[in-house]
Amino acid sequence: MNAALNRVIPIIWTAIIIIVVPLQAVVTRRLLASMHPTPAQAYASTARGLLALGVITLVVDLLGPRVGIRALAARIPAGSFLAWSGVTLAACVAVSLALLLYRRATHQAMDPLVVAMLPRTANERLAFVGISLLAGVVEEYVMRGFCLGTLTSMTRSMPVAVLLVTVSFGLAHGYQGWLSMLRATALGALLAVPVVRTHALGPSIVAHAGMDMLSGGWLYAIARAWGVAT
């Protein structure tokens, strides 16, 4: 009985993540619009949400087949690790810059709520680095470790599992606007490649955290310079 429950609970939790988390993005959007939090408040709220999601997923994973933990603990040669991390990060940066150029060419400004959350001061940038590291570890473990592993086992199809996780990851950023949702979907697909090819989460964690940190460092300045941030 316990063994059966330990197999079923990860499936239920995965379904909750890929369905409820995108829906929660709508609530997040409304809260941001109504509360107008400072960046520090937004970062603190994000950290609490990530930690809660990560801890619950870790508990479920420990009780189940531990697919996410195995991906997190998997090791690959240092050269491959650096290569996959660097190439994935470069691809993510290229996609982000391409969409910024598209915004500039089509005169589509970034969502003001998203712009308001970007760091401007030294303290905000430092806090953003912490959030970036946390997001890199937690989101990759949850989405492309636990969920991807569980869905692959359930559907017996890696491509189907990657598609479901990637679409969910993109929709979870829908509160930022359709272009940002498209960007998140593309980044999610790119971040899944190292996991599929190496079965290790390390390169995707590094690329994800690096992309977020770079965004905190240059996104606001470039968006202002290109006229897509108000």
Side-chain angles (χ1 to χ4, degrees):
M1 183 66 176
N2 287 338
L5 278 176
N6 290 342
R7 288 194 298 270
V8 171
I9 291 176
I11 295 174
I12 294 173
W13 182 239
T14 297
I16 290 173
I17 291 172
I18 66 173
I19 294 172
V20 174
V21 170
L23 293 176
Q24 188 184 21
V26 178
V27 178
T28 299
R29 167 75 188 188
R30 291 175 179 174
L31 286 174
L32 288 173
S34 62
M35 296 177 61
H36 300 290
T38 64
Q41 291 171 332
Y43 302 159
S45 176
T46 299
R48 289 193 295 269
L50 286 170
L51 287 172
L53 179 63
V55 168
I56 295 172
T57 303
L58 179 61
V59 171
V60 173
D61 200 11
L62 284 169
L63 295 175
R66 303 190 177 189
V67 291
I69 294 171
R70 287 202 301 271
L72 189 62
R75 297 291 182 266
I76 59 176
S80 296
F81 182 94
L82 292 174
W84 277 111
S85 299
V87 169
T88 305
L89 176 57
C92 289
V93 171
V95 167
S96 298
L97 285 174
L99 283 175
L100 274 179
L101 285 169
Y102 177 79
R103 285 185 183 277
R104 183 185 187 187
T106 57
H107 306 289
Q108 296 189 51
M110 293 175 61
D111 190 306
L113 288 176
V114 175
V115 175
M117 295 301 102
L118 293 174
R120 292 165 176 74
T121 67
N123 286 338
E124 289 174 355
R125 291 190 182 93
L126 182 61
F128 199 86
V129 168
I131 290 297
S132 298
L133 292 172
L134 183 63
V137 174
V138 173
E139 291 186 3
E140 290 309 305
Y141 166 66
V142 171
M143 299 303 294
R144 277 158 287 275
F146 174 78
C147 288
L148 183 60
T150 302
L151 287 170
T152 299
S153 177
M154 183 179 71
T155 64
R156 305 296 180 185
S157 172
M158 177 71 80
V160 170
V162 169
L163 177 63
L164 291 173
V165 169
T166 301
V167 169
S168 174
F169 187 73
L171 292 175
H173 294 77
Y175 72 96
Q176 299 178 4
W178 76 271
L179 272 178
S180 292
M181 183 173 65
L182 180 63
R183 170 183 177 272
T185 302
L187 296 187
L190 290 171
L191 291 167
V193 174
V195 183
V196 172
R197 295 299 300 272
T198 69
H199 304 290
L201 274 177
S204 295
I205 289 174
V206 171
H208 188 148
M211 182 68 246
D212 285 355
M213 284 189 281
L214 287 174
S215 295
W218 55 259
L219 181 57
Y220 180 70
I222 292 180
R224 285 292 302 271
W226 289 356
V228 296
T230 58

